[in-house]
Amino acid sequence: MLRVGVNGYGTIGKRVADAIRAQPDMAVHGVAKVSPDYVAIGAVENGYDVYAVDEDRIDGFREIGIDPAGTIDDLVAESDVMIDAAPSGVGADNRPLYERHETPAIFQGGEDATAAEVSFNARVNYDEAADADYVRVVSCNTTGLSRFLAPLHETYGVEKARVTLVRRGGDPAQTGRGPINDAVPDPVSIPSHHGPDVQTVLPEIDIDTIGLKVPTTMMHVHSVNVTLEKTPEDAAEVRDLLRAEDRLLMIPDYAAIDGAGTLKDFALDAGRSRGDIWENCIWEESVTLEGRDLYCMQAIHQESDVVPENVDALRALTGHLTGPESRAITNETLGIDFGGLCGRDDLTADRQTAD
Ligand code: NAD
């Protein structure tokens, strides 16, 4: 049983902790928190041992009825592997702490690629993490783009990808972020960092990305254009290729899911914890072919698509399962499969005929 410590128990850390707990071969040894607050109380109620990042605040935890199990040094020393889910940039500063205890660690996409030996996506380069002590799970947008581009590249070859990322202004709990009422080029310079970030896991892909942020907390939406090297038979063939991927969800026309709001509603109705959507959500109708040019639109749930990737990264780094084995267990334990939307091609076809 792999003992995993989670340093940084915010949007990503608390989701990854719950996902680890659902696995048969790993356990959450404890979670490290900076602030004694409602999230720390939630961690205790979830059954996690809480460790203090800042020793000076141990009394603050005690004042709200939490008795810390130790400090961050204790957690790192007692864990086999650390998940670092501290805010962007802090992870790289934490690396000497992990090195001091000779504890391998997994960083998040807010870190520069140089923070780790390998940038990771479970679908693309699982095996590359086997010899590494420090792995970076790429960001939510990069994860979504890598999952989408990998099967296209393997089947047809990607000559050039051009992506416009319409990014959520902030996560629901990030009260200080905006924009409030605007659409802001972000960054205004082209390309955005996302294209080069995709190349950290798919170095051979030629990709340009442009980003803007808009006033929503729900999801990112990508508008994608890929020039393929080989011409597919038709758009249906490409849809079938994408549908066969376990972490790509094709949204059929008949479901009447017309945006990120209905997607979130759908996830909550399906009983997904926190309304999480671990899969890329690709609008089936948007998958369109003009010669070798493929177009489509996909939504990415920024708070959760990297969660299964972190679980797989733990197994990749410790080397006890293959990529397909790990992904299958992760998918099954988390429940990655919106059964109601799968296998209904006949229904779609009937509708199209009827229309
Ligand atoms: P967050 O702010 O929600 O959570 C970070 C947590 O770390 C907070 O609880 C904070 O109190 C704590 N913290 C602060 N300083 C710390 C320190 N020195 N040591 C340990 N913990 C500390 O941030 P997040 O959104 O969970 O992001 C974490 C990482 O995941 C970042 O690299 C981010 O870029 C990446 N990421 C975020 C998203 C997203 O949309 N939220 C998506 C993918 C990847």
Side-chain angles (χ1 to χ4, degrees), residues 7-12 33-34 53 85-88 90 94 108 110-111 140 168 171 302 306:
N7 188 16
Y9 190 73
T11 304
I12 300 300
K33 276 279 300 157
V34 175
V53 172
S88 301
V90 177
N94 285 337
Q108 307 305 313
E111 304 309 317
C140 48
R168 58 88 179 97
D171 294 340
Q302 74 281 354
V306 298

Side-chain angles (χ1 to χ4, degrees), residues 236-254:
E237 183 187 280
V238 181
R239 289 185 193 126
D240 286 345
L241 175 78
L242 298 175
R243 194 180 291 112
E245 294 285 318
D246 53 6
R247 293 181 188 168
L248 300 184
L249 177 71
M250 301 302 284
I251 305 296
D253 176 31
Y254 69 75

